Amino acid sequence: RATMIKSLETMDTIFLARTKYLCGDEMTIADISAFCEIMQLGFIEEDISKYKNITAWYDRIFQMEGVQKVCGFILEAMKKSVQKRRAKM
């Protein structure tokens, strides 16, 4: 968990503090890869809202044409997984 938090802090305060995307002002494969990883944090209910630059970056990518359609099934699976885990508690 500590490594994950350090990675999020670095991404937020270094990579996204000065640019729109991870490697500059245009989206690259680095953004696509990182977006997929960040999205999966929902499975463990990790709140990324305290990372303002990551949140803005995530929202910017999520609003791109086709992203919601492609990622929708993952988000639904995530919700179901979280609901099942909570029901067992």
Side-chain angles (χ1 to χ4, degrees):
R1 184 156 173 19
T3 301
M4 177 191 66
I5 291 171
K6 180 65 176 164
S7 296
L8 290 170
E9 289 172 349
T10 300
M11 186 177 170
D12 191 66
T13 61
I14 296 174
F15 290 100
L16 293 171
R18 294 175 284 233
T19 59
K20 192 174 177 180
Y21 297 101
L22 291 172
C23 296
D25 290 326
E26 294 184 28
M27 193 166 83
T28 67
I29 190 71
D31 296 287
I32 296 167
S33 179
F35 178 82
C36 293
E37 296 300 321
I38 298 293
M39 186 173 60
Q40 292 179 52
L41 293 176
F43 281 109
I44 60 169
E45 298 183 82
E46 184 67 35
D47 181 17
I48 63 165
S49 65
K50 63 184 165 187
Y51 305 104
K52 301 303 179 198
N53 294 319
I54 292 175
T55 301
W57 164 86
Y58 183 91
D59 291 344
R60 190 168 31 256
I61 293 173
F62 195 76
Q63 295 305 314
M64 290 180 166
E65 185 178 339
V67 173
Q68 293 174 30
K69 184 177 181 179
V70 171
C71 296
F73 75 96
I74 296 170
L75 296 173
E76 280 304 311
M78 195 180 318
K79 287 178 190 176
K80 289 178 183 176
S81 175
V82 169
Q83 289 170 346
K84 283 182 184 177
R85 189 171 52 246
R86 287 181 179 171
K88 290 180 182 179
M89 295 179 147

